[in-house]
Amino acid sequence: MPDDPGAKDLLAVRQMIDAGEIVGASSLLRARIEDEPENAEAWFLMALVANSAGQSDTALRMVETALTRRPATPEYLNEKGRLLMQLGEPEKASA
């Protein structure tokens, strides 16, 4: 498997999110999305950042953006369902 520095960067961002370093993660992700707007993982991680900041509506839109770039990704679909439940829209979560 080739060495992918971009994937390593996103792994580091995921670790930052897990550690609660939301501001730093957000800054790195915004730059990545600006450089690579088709990067599904960056959009997904940005959704995690938005949700951790209490912005569930924004997080849902970002997960949906990630899904347009990588449809049927289980982790993204699971997060979308979780966010819909959190937003009080369980009927959409089962669709």
Side-chain angles (χ1 to χ4, degrees), residues 2-91:
D3 213 16
D4 182 359
K8 288 180 183 177
D9 290 347
L10 290 178
L11 178 60
V13 168
R14 192 178 278 267
Q15 292 169 340
M16 291 174 74
I17 294 168
D18 291 344
E21 298 173 28
I22 301 305
V23 173
S26 177
S27 177
L28 291 172
L29 287 166
R30 286 179 196 281
R32 173 61 63 91
I33 289 169
E34 186 175 313
D35 290 343
E36 298 176 42
E38 295 301 313
N39 188 314
E41 186 69 6
W43 282 104
F44 175 73
L45 293 174
M46 197 64 190
L48 298 181
V49 167
N51 192 48
S52 69
Q55 300 171 349
S56 301
D57 289 328
T58 300
L60 179 60
R61 286 191 303 276
M62 291 177 171
V63 167
E64 288 171 340
T65 299
L67 282 164
T68 65
R69 284 143 174 80
R70 239 174 30 194
T73 302
E75 187 177 20
Y76 301 176
L77 291 167
N78 184 53
E79 185 65 15
K80 180 180 178 179
R82 198 182 67 66
L83 285 165
L84 287 166
M85 295 292 288
Q86 185 176 315
L87 290 165
E89 299 182 40
E91 67 285 349

